[in-house]
Amino acid sequence: KYGVSTVLVVNSDAAWLDAAPFRAHADRVILRANVGFDFGGWITALRQMPEILMASCVLFVNDSIFGPFGPRTTYDALLDRVFSSDADYVCAVETEARRPHFQSYFWALSGDALRGVAMRNYIARHADAPTLQACISRDELFLKDVLEKGGDLTGETLFPTEVIAPEMLDSPKAANPAMSFWEPLLSGGFPFLKVKVAQAIFSRKDNSHLKAVLSNLGEDATALQLELERLRLPLAAEERRLRFVA
């Protein structure tokens, strides 16, 4: 519908990696060393393919989410909102954690936000962050500031907390909507889950509620759980103790 081209950036520790299996899922595959996290990968793509900046809209997604779940119409409606937005930058959710910013697992740029001097300078000067916390501090927390240096840009948050969970607006849980409000996000039209949310809930003795939610969306919850176990993504102790809104 929108003539979307997909660029897949794979960060890997492997000394050699065959790009062929990935080419079935993307128009262009970029293999790079496992440094810099998601922002490092995105910057590599923008440097190697500067023509990306001439697109009408660029959607950035990382692999900390998985899906889409539910009917295809929900996913299509999400893309409609992204690609038809009049805003210069669009994000799924914003958070007040540490400082107001939008979370980097699903965001898009267009117009002056994509092609402006501020973004071009950011691409040119970017250096890979050595740790995840450094990446969050250097890139995610300040990305909105970088964009707003470009002038009078407009932004749109697709799933603001005051809409998806207004009763929790003043709660500490509002600091991380993707982790705390996974169910309102699913029911509100964002058909993805944070991997670590699902991983943490599936690790509990009683994970029946998540399985019921996924089953109601037409998904095989047991198969999804097995897939997450196969991936064996590291889960910190503090993440296992997270309390999620049911």
Side-chain angles (χ1 to χ4, degrees), residues 89 118 143-153:
Y89 60 89
L143 179 61
K144 188 175 179 181
D145 293 351
V146 169
L147 296 175
E148 291 178 347
K149 286 180 182 177
D152 189 21
L153 301 181

Side-chain angles (χ1 to χ4, degrees), residues 108-238:
L109 299 179
S110 61
D112 290 340
L114 181 61
R115 288 179 283 279
V117 173
M119 189 62 183
R120 289 182 183 274
N121 286 342
Y122 174 70
I123 294 169
R125 298 170 182 170
H126 184 272
D128 287 330
T131 66
L132 178 58
Q133 285 306 311
C135 183
I136 292 171
S137 296
R138 291 184 192 177
D139 296 309
E140 181 174 277
L141 288 176
F142 288 95
L143 179 61
K144 188 175 179 181
D145 293 351
V146 169
L147 296 175
E148 291 178 347
K149 286 180 182 177
D152 189 21
L153 301 181
T154 58
E156 179 182 2
T157 302
L158 300 177
F159 304 98
T161 299
E162 60 265 27
V163 173
I164 62 167
E167 72 283 0
M168 301 298 292
L169 194 58
D170 296 323
S171 165
K173 293 184 175 66
N176 196 334
M179 302 293 279
S180 299
F181 305 143
W182 62 270
E183 189 171 358
L185 279 168
L186 274 177
S187 62
F190 186 69
F192 297 93
L193 272 174
K194 290 286 283 184
V195 172
K196 287 188 175 182
V197 168
Q199 189 182 15
I201 298 176
F202 276 137
S203 69
R204 299 174 182 171
K205 186 174 182 179
D206 182 7
N207 53 38
S208 57
H209 182 66
L210 175 58
K211 286 186 173 180
V213 170
L214 292 172
S215 295
N216 288 338
L217 291 172
E219 304 294 341
D220 185 337
T222 299
L224 291 171
Q225 182 178 7
L226 291 173
E227 177 65 11
L228 286 177
E229 290 174 355
R230 184 187 68 81
L231 292 173
R232 294 188 183 133
L233 298 175
L235 184 66
E238 60 269 21

